[in-house]
Amino acid sequence: TLRRVVAEREAAGSPALIALDGGIDQSNAADVVAAGANIPVAGQAIFGAPDAEAATRALRAAAVRTAGG
């Protein structure tokens, strides 16, 4: 699970970023980032949307709010 990967990364003191792919969209992007993913991969949510640019902005906004940036 993502939490396990995050815990292992922290235990190792690794600066590695964690990318998570699969089923990520605007409804869950904030939760994915809050759980520890640094790079939410949301291909279908972006490229399957009628407006890929707007979808990208919405996903980024959700992730930035969660990350505190």
Side-chain angles (χ1 to χ4, degrees), residues 2-28:
L2 176 57
R3 293 189 196 283
R4 181 176 173 188
V5 171
V6 170
E8 289 183 18
R9 176 188 64 185
E10 290 173 359
S14 172
L17 299 178
I18 298 172
L20 186 66
D21 188 4
I24 299 172
D25 59 26
Q26 187 175 353
S27 72
N28 61 15

